[in-house]
Amino acid sequence: IRDDIFIDVLASHTSYIHISSRKNPTTASFKLLGVSPGTEDVKGQITLSLLSVNKQIHSECKDLLWKHNTFFFYPDSLFRELKCIDIKLAANIQHVQLVMDLLSLEKWNEMALSKLGSWAKYGALKSVTLKLVDPILASVLHSSSVWTKAIEVQLALLREAGGKSGYLSRVKKRVEINTRIECAFVEYAQRMSEFKGLYAFLKAVQDAFGGELWVDGTLRT
């Protein structure tokens, strides 16, 4: 019962948390918010006051925050939010979900994957989930001469990170997509049955990054 109470206080009810930075001219601080990645709705603040009750409770609880929560990041927000957290504290993060846009032409994806690599090597990182943005559009554009090279660059980044000799090779990995959400927001999307190249494209992403492929909450083989 004691352990259940500790977990109830320190773990998000969705199992995902988001770092919200608060800055003023003299200090930088942060708060942890429960978040639902499917909708990105904030579910309330995770309070850490329990860790300050006494030394015994602190000793018993100090690892629960990291063990029972997955930190939810966008590649650019990862760096913005981490400015408010001590480097040694961030190294305790064990589970990360990274929202990745394979059509991005900026360096944020590369930088974020590299940061996760440093946590895997020097920190406590145990699992990484890639939540793909616009994979339907990416699968279509992958056959376009204009976008093929750009998307291949992103696949090469994933291969470098998650391949057999990659810096995330020893971390548990998964690739995740919710096609229902994607179709709801892509006005020009056809019915999923017509996207014959989508699953082949997702398999290419999985082969590059490694780990499991989850589509609409179902493990694909």
Side-chain angles (χ1 to χ4, degrees):
I1 295 177
R2 181 185 177 91
D3 291 341
D4 289 343
I5 293 174
F6 290 162
I7 293 173
D8 188 62
V9 172
L10 294 173
S12 166
H13 294 298
T14 65
S15 299
Y16 292 88
I17 57 177
H18 169 66
I19 300 173
S20 177
S21 59
R22 298 176 294 179
K23 296 183 178 180
N24 61 51
T26 57
T27 63
S29 59
F30 70 95
K31 58 183 177 180
L32 298 176
L33 303 174
V35 64
S36 177
T39 61
E40 297 177 32
D41 290 335
V42 173
K43 301 298 181 182
Q45 186 169 348
I46 309 296
T47 178
L48 304 180
S49 56
L50 178 65
L51 299 174
S52 302
V53 173
N54 57 49
K55 291 183 179 180
Q56 179 179 341
I57 290 182
H58 182 275
S59 178
E60 294 175 356
C61 296
K62 62 183 178 63
D63 296 327
L64 296 180
L65 175 72
W66 316 106
K67 182 178 180 180
H68 293 279
N69 290 299
T70 296
F71 284 74
F72 178 73
F73 293 112
Y74 290 90
D76 57 337
S77 71
L78 186 152
F79 294 93
R80 183 170 59 253
E81 293 160 7
L82 290 180
K83 289 181 180 180
C84 298
I85 299 181
D86 182 86
I87 295 177
K88 293 182 179 179
L89 190 62
N92 289 316
I93 293 176
Q94 296 183 23
H95 310 287
V96 167
Q97 181 172 100
L98 184 68
V99 180
M100 189 168 181
D101 183 357
L102 295 176
L103 298 178
S104 174
L105 299 178
E106 299 181 349
K107 290 288 186 179
W108 290 115
N109 287 345
E110 180 179 2
M111 293 170 62
L113 288 170
S114 179
K115 171 61 71 174
L116 296 182
S118 68
W119 287 350
K121 185 175 182 179
Y122 302 108
L125 189 65
K126 295 181 178 179
S127 72
V128 175
T129 297
L130 291 185
K131 181 184 177 184
L132 299 183
V133 175
D134 283 339
I136 297 172
L137 181 58
S139 67
V140 174
L141 293 180
H142 191 217
S143 60
S144 167
S145 59
V146 176
W147 283 96
T148 296
K149 184 176 180 180
I151 295 176
E152 287 295 333
V153 168
Q154 299 298 317
L155 292 177
L157 289 177
L158 295 181
R159 198 172 294 111
E160 181 182 0
K164 291 183 179 180
S165 59
Y167 44 80
L168 294 176
S169 59
R170 298 183 179 181
V171 171
K172 183 178 180 180
K173 299 178 291 293
R174 65 188 277 177
V175 177
E176 188 176 283
I177 171 183
N178 188 326
T179 59
R180 297 180 184 89
I181 292 178
E182 291 294 334
C183 283
F185 288 97
V186 181
E187 294 181 0
Y188 48 81
Q190 305 169 27
R191 293 182 180 275
M192 285 305 302
S193 59
E194 298 179 19
F195 283 96
K196 298 179 180 179
L198 175 61
Y199 293 116
F201 178 74
L202 292 177
K203 189 64 169 64
V205 175
Q206 180 194 22
D207 289 343
F209 189 62
E212 300 173 341
L213 173 61
W214 288 77
V215 180
D216 299 332
T218 301
L219 176 64
R220 304 284 296 197
T221 57

